Amino acid sequence: MMAAGREYIPVIGLEVHAQLLTRTKMFCRCPAEFGAEPNTLVCPVCLGLPGALPSVNREAVSMAVRIGLALGCSIERESVFARKNYFYPDAPRNYQISMYDRPLCSGGSLLFEDGEEEVTVGLERIHLEEDAGKLLHGQGGHSLIDFNRCGVPLVEIVTLPVIRTPRHASLYLRRLRQILRYLEICDGNLEEGSLRVDVNISLREKGDETLGTRTEIKNLNSFKAVEAGLETEIERQRKELQAGEKIIQVTNLWDAKEKKLVLMRLKEGAHDYRYFPEPDLPVLIVDDDWITDEKAKIPELPLARERRFQREYGLSVYDAGVLAAESDIADYYEETIKLTGEPKITANWVMREVLRELKSGGGEIAGLRVRPERLADLIAIVLEGGITTSAGATVFAAMLDSDESAKDIVKRLGLELLSDEGELGTIVGAIIASHSDEVARYRGGKKELMKFFIGQVMKESGGKADPGIAGDILRKRLD
Ligand SMILES: [Zn+2]
């Protein structure tokens, strides 16, 4: 039966695994570190040796509670760890300890903005589990296993199937990553796999509420990959459905290089894992005091901060979004404002100079030599009219490599604004003499050429001329 011309609506759900920044692993005291020699951070528990008993890492539970509270979930006072049985070389016990029918957090939602539109994505659950080991394939025809990652704590954050477009999926992820970083519970590194995204996707026919068969895409290690993978899969399903084909439940991998989906496996249903409550662990009890403690650790979250930046500092939506994206940059910005008292001008300096430097140098703001006090000093000199904005950028660049004060650098580089009428008069005289054409046109009524003359004065003075005084002199001589 041909079904061409029918309209289909994508139904997308996301499962995000976030590696928690705990000091030790989920069920043992091995360090949860990365980059160590393979198989050096292991013990009988995370190696799954017979008789070794797990115990729960309290800090991991605290972090999971915090993300749950930040996303408005209800925190279950009693939750249950469960065994997810599967046989694979990266899981030495042949099961993973996860949570199944009684997760730690349920419900909740995440809010983001798409232009003017506010979008709320409902969550199904958030639960704790442990990571598997790492397989290194193709080592001289062999595969090697590193168990260091085995047992590292993860939270899995699962949305309801309510996302409608690939773009919304990516906006959801960006916001979620920001929140995890604000809470300091995950570094959010998609490329290195500390934040991993799996998407579920099905199409339903317009006007029909029945969900279609869903497929899964794994290995989406950038926001771009999430959008591209989803777009490709939506198109594929649409074509199949329009050709009257049935969608088969599969798991695909996204090949970012070739920009195509690669079949990984036919998907097993949940029953294949034969979940049952973990007999080696008690019921996890989180009481009200614990929840109150975690609530107190939650800082102002990114969306709230963005909105406050718009309201309090008069920033545009875009500028507020850029400055509030990372809490350390937002802190830096606000510390600088306290000293300058000029939110908008300070925003320009942080976005133009500070963020450009961080982008080009790839560094963190904590390592930036120009601390808020030094930036505020520089901004003050520009505002007092001591130097031009472009000279200010030169001073900023010099401050990155020295502890010299902005004032001293201005002096050393000879960047003080040229406001001496005699000197400016000489420059203006020379420009009028060498641009007789433009002078004639200006005097003939083309007044907008004033900008050109001021530009020439700036050029002649090496960017140091005080544009106000230069303009006055020009007008006096030309009009
Ligand atoms: Zn261990």
Side-chain angles (χ1 to χ4, degrees), residues 216-234:
E216 194 179 358
I217 313 173
K218 285 183 177 288
N219 245 16
L220 297 159
N221 61 1
S222 70
F223 298 121
K224 242 191 210 161
V226 170
E227 282 195 51
L230 278 169
E231 272 157 17
T232 308
E233 178 60 7
I234 289 169

Side-chain angles (χ1 to χ4, degrees), residues 313 330-347 349-350 369-384 399:
Y313 304 141
D331 290 346
Y332 179 100
Y333 168 59
E334 292 207 273
E335 276 170 46
T336 313
I337 299 178
K338 271 188 210 142
L339 302 165
T340 62
E342 292 282 351
K344 276 194 176 172
I345 291 167
T346 304
W349 279 91
V350 173
R369 216 152 160 185
V370 184
R371 301 315 308 155
E373 313 77 56
R374 298 185 77 210
L375 179 60
D377 283 345
L378 172 59
I379 293 173
I381 294 173
V382 176
L383 289 179
E384 282 158 13
M399 290 168 84

Side-chain angles (χ1 to χ4, degrees), residues 24-99:
T24 56
K25 293 187 181 180
M26 186 68 230
F27 299 113
C28 63
R29 295 192 173 187
C30 293
E33 281 166 19
F34 297 92
E37 275 289 295
N39 299 309
T40 53
L41 309 177
V42 290
C43 73
V45 174
C46 55
L47 282 177
L49 300 187
L53 289 174
S55 56
V56 174
N57 181 337
R58 188 182 165 92
E59 187 53 25
V61 178
S62 291
M63 288 180 173
V65 168
R66 232 176 293 159
I67 181 71
L69 289 170
L71 296 175
C73 304
S74 59
I75 311 297
E76 303 307 329
R77 300 309 192 265
E78 293 188 1
S79 52
V80 176
F81 285 101
R83 283 191 187 180
K84 180 181 182 179
N85 295 282
Y86 70 95
F87 178 77
Y88 204 65
D90 63 5
R93 280 195 290 257
N94 293 336
Y95 60 82
Q96 176 194 27
I97 305 179
S98 179
M99 286 175 153

Side-chain angles (χ1 to χ4, degrees), residues 397-416:
M399 290 168 84
L400 291 169
D401 305 314
S402 110
D403 291 325
E404 230 179 323
S405 73
K407 209 174 177 182
D408 288 345
I409 293 173
V410 169
K411 246 185 234 154
R412 176 162 63 79
L413 299 179
L415 293 169
E416 296 101 330

Side-chain angles (χ1 to χ4, degrees), residues 409-427:
I409 293 173
V410 169
K411 246 185 234 154
R412 176 162 63 79
L413 299 179
L415 293 169
E416 296 101 330
L417 212 55
L418 179 56
S419 50
D420 183 273
E421 294 202 18
E423 264 184 74
L424 282 173
T426 310
I427 294 173

Side-chain angles (χ1 to χ4, degrees), residues 120-137:
T120 305
V121 172
L123 300 178
E124 184 189 311
R125 59 191 274 147
I126 300 176
H127 69 251
L128 273 163
E129 60 185 33
E130 57 177 345
D131 211 343
K134 205 170 196 167
L135 289 164
L136 305 152
H137 296 296

Side-chain angles (χ1 to χ4, degrees), residues 8-11 201-205 210-213 233-235 237-239 241:
Y8 294 98
I9 296 165
V11 180
I201 167 100
S202 65
L203 297 190
R204 71 173 169 81
E205 208 180 324
T210 330
L211 294 181
T213 304
E233 178 60 7
I234 289 169
E235 234 358 79
Q237 288 193 19
R238 197 190 306 276
K239 277 187 187 145
L241 289 171

